[in-house]
Amino acid sequence: SEAHWYIVVFVVRNALISLVPVIPDAAAQIQIMFFILTVSMILTVYVWPWRVAEANALDVGCCFGLTVMLTCAAFFVGDVSAQTWAIFCLVLVSTLLLIVFSVFSLAIHQRMKN
């Protein structure tokens, strides 16, 4: 692949993930981590930066697994207001709908191109 620039995305993603624990609110930590991992996963699927296909699949699978764990962990955060939960659920559902729409759009584009 000709995505030599992707290493910058990889380093920035890891730097942002390392800064998330500095945020004092646990719900905000989960939301920000979810956003970082989801954007990284979408970008990896779109660019397919690694030379070996299995490495790309592993990267996407790890991001997806961490996203699922974060979603499950969100239910164990105590002392969270209803407004914070509403925002988290809105971001989660919106992101998942965006992913589904993107996958379907990409599939239709690929089908029309052939």
Side-chain angles (χ1 to χ4, degrees):
S1 171
E2 294 297 324
H4 301 292
W5 54 268
Y6 189 80
I7 193 65
V8 175
V9 173
F10 191 69
V11 169
V12 169
R13 178 191 77 178
N14 290 341
L16 290 174
I17 287 173
S18 69
L19 292 175
V20 168
V22 174
I23 300 168
D25 185 20
Q29 287 178 355
I30 291 173
Q31 290 173 355
I32 292 169
M33 183 74 103
F34 181 82
F35 179 74
I36 292 169
L37 289 173
T38 303
V39 168
S40 173
M41 185 172 36
I42 291 170
L43 192 59
T44 302
V45 168
Y46 183 73
V47 175
W48 214 246
W50 308 118
R51 189 172 296 187
V52 181
E54 289 82 6
N56 290 303
L58 182 65
D59 192 7
V60 171
C62 287
C63 284
F64 181 75
L66 286 171
T67 304
V68 169
M69 285 194 304
L70 278 172
T71 305
C72 293
F75 293 108
F76 295 103
V77 175
D79 299 330
V80 179
S81 68
Q83 182 180 6
T84 305
W85 272 111
I87 292 170
F88 177 73
C89 290
L90 177 67
V91 169
L92 178 65
V93 170
S94 299
T95 305
L96 291 176
L97 288 175
L98 179 66
I99 290 170
V100 168
F101 178 73
S102 299
V103 167
F104 280 128
S105 297
L106 185 61
I108 290 170
H109 176 71
Q110 292 292 332
R111 177 95 49 180
M112 294 289 188
K113 193 166 78 170
N114 293 335

